[in-house]
Amino acid sequence: MNVLVTGGAGFIGSHLVDALLARGDAVRVLDNFSTGTRTNLAHCAAQIELVEGDVRDLATVERAAQGCHAVLHEAAIVSVAESFMRPEETRDVNAGGAANVLHAAREAGARRVVIASSCAVYGDARALPLGESAPPAPLSPYAETKLAAEDQCRAACAAKGLDTVALRYFNVFGPRQDPSSEYSGVIARFMQAAIAGRGCTVYGDGRQSRDFVFVSDVVRANLLALDAAALGGVAINVGTGTRTSLLHIIHRLGNLVGKEIAAAFAAARVGDIRHSQADIARARKLLGYEPAVAFGDGLAVTLEWYRQQPKARGRG
Ligand code: UD1
């Protein structure tokens, strides 16, 4: 099958590229390298087709989608905190980009589009775990744009032959997650600090928790979504069904590096949700998805990967 991966040079996208190539699919990547890197694709550059461009540009997306049977749409501004500083750009990239991808996929005669959504659409949960029928209550421009993309995704199913699904990722972590920005994912940030022998900055009291899911589980959910029978634009949680607090991560990381890690506490971030934990019954039922990587194992593999990176990655 010919598959387009938008954001294919990014953290999750590049792992999807690897998995698709491993199962014999032909892969095209659309990326503007704003946050994705050539390094993430260096090992497979000869096996993929690369379209360098922006999801905000419809003509580019149409060119990238030509001849594709399916699209995995990962390109996005992924930081909740950053979305408050750049709300318009976040809307253009996340909601506008999804609209372009759905339009181009339909024009190209693709059969399936899988879009990356987020558990951020739930906002602050009153009851955990979060099932997909919980009412959306976005707390940030980021979450609003992901919800808008989901709506478009559902609407696009009315188009003849195109089937879509939105995967609501919980907190994904693993090798290749960029640690270098202040707004990078928390595990990447904490790992970088631990390796450098520095303390971690904790926004809030550190008791907030997330459902941290290892990237290979998210990849498997995407492959299952690609191959599933018609999904009709439904949203599906992709997590583990468990949750871990930031203080617990710091403790586990300390055990892994063999040294206690100090935490410096700072004010909680605006728009931060307190707890999240996925109910994954729908993913089990519709996709046959089951998370396979225990949190501690994922943490150890990820730490090893950061340790092997050249010093340049350890900025920030
Ligand atoms: C993350 C993802 C988002 C995804 C969402 C799903 C990133 C950058 N964001 O958002 O794309 O849709 O999960 O839940 O991957 N924190 C610290 N210290 C740090 C960094 C973060 O205390 O150095 C705190 C944050 O304030 C927050 C928690 O850790 O309370 C998690 O933050 P972060 O990793 O940015 O994830 P989300 O905001 O949940």
Side-chain angles (χ1 to χ4, degrees):
M1 162 154 73
N2 299 340
V3 186
L4 168 65
V5 184
T6 72
F11 160 45
I12 300 172
S14 64
H15 285 286
L16 287 170
V17 169
D18 287 342
L20 291 165
L21 289 173
R23 68 176 210 169
D25 290 314
V27 181
R28 191 178 294 152
V29 165
L30 171 64
D31 207 295
N32 67 355
F33 297 102
S34 57
T35 53
T37 65
R38 289 176 204 280
T39 314
N40 284 343
L41 295 174
H43 60 286
C44 61
Q47 294 159 265
I48 61 170
E49 205 183 319
L50 175 66
V51 177
E52 190 169 346
D54 199 301
V55 287
R56 287 170 289 189
D57 180 31
L58 180 59
T60 302
V61 183
E62 283 175 337
R63 184 158 58 89
Q66 247 168 43
C68 285
H69 303 115
V71 183
L72 299 177
H73 177 47
E74 311 301 310
I77 289 179
V78 301
S79 163
V80 172
E82 217 173 341
S83 77
F84 281 98
M85 292 180 297
R86 294 152 60 200
E88 280 176 22
E89 191 182 347
T90 305
R91 196 179 53 235
D92 290 348
V93 173
N94 293 4
N100 285 345
V101 165
L102 288 162
H103 177 83
R106 191 170 52 227
E107 296 281 294
R111 173 183 75 68
R112 166 74 40 90
V113 176
V114 183
I115 70 160
S117 184
S118 164
C119 69
V121 300
Y122 294 116
D124 251 331
R126 261 175 236 117
L128 294 174
L130 280 156
E132 291 86 349
S133 55
L139 292 176
S140 62
Y142 169 79
E144 278 169 22
T145 62
K146 285 290 175 181
L147 195 58
E150 285 193 3
D151 288 342
Q152 293 166 16
C153 193
R154 238 183 334 273
C157 277
K160 214 169 167 210
L162 182 67
D163 192 67
T164 65
V165 59
L167 298 183
R168 287 181 178 164
Y169 299 164
F170 280 62
N171 285 59
V172 189
F173 74 103
R176 298 186 197 151
Q177 190 168 26
D178 175 19
S180 64
S181 150
E182 185 189 340
Y183 304 110
S184 300
V186 68
I187 290 187
R189 292 295 289 166
F190 284 3
M191 294 241 163
Q192 189 192 39
I195 290 170
R198 286 189 272 111
C200 298
T201 304
V202 175
Y203 301 111
D205 63 7
R207 293 182 201 282
Q208 68 264 49
S209 62
R210 296 289 187 274
D211 185 332
F212 290 100
V213 55
F214 191 63
V215 66
S216 63
D217 281 333
V218 174
V219 166
R220 225 183 30 268
N222 273 274
L223 297 186
L224 289 165
L226 264 189
D227 297 339
L231 291 162
V234 74
I236 303 179
N237 287 343
V238 177
T240 66
T242 64
R243 66 191 168 93
T244 308
S245 73
L246 301 194
L247 294 181
H248 187 68
I249 297 174
I250 292 173
H251 172 72
R252 297 284 291 259
L253 254 180
N255 287 345
L256 283 172
V257 297
K259 194 167 127 209
E260 200 175 317
I261 297 166
F265 292 87
R269 282 175 168 170
V270 177
D272 236 16
I273 58 174
R274 184 72 183 153
H275 299 296
S276 92
Q277 182 182 354
D279 177 343
I280 55 171
R282 187 180 281 181
R284 285 193 170 112
K285 185 166 168 232
L286 296 183
L287 304 179
Y289 163 82
E290 197 60 50
V293 181
F295 179 69
D297 294 342
L299 210 59
V301 169
T302 307
L303 179 67
E304 202 38 51
W305 184 83
Y306 283 115
R307 276 182 164 146
Q308 283 165 16
Q309 297 314 295
K311 276 267 183 303
R313 267 201 178 261
R315 285 168 298 139

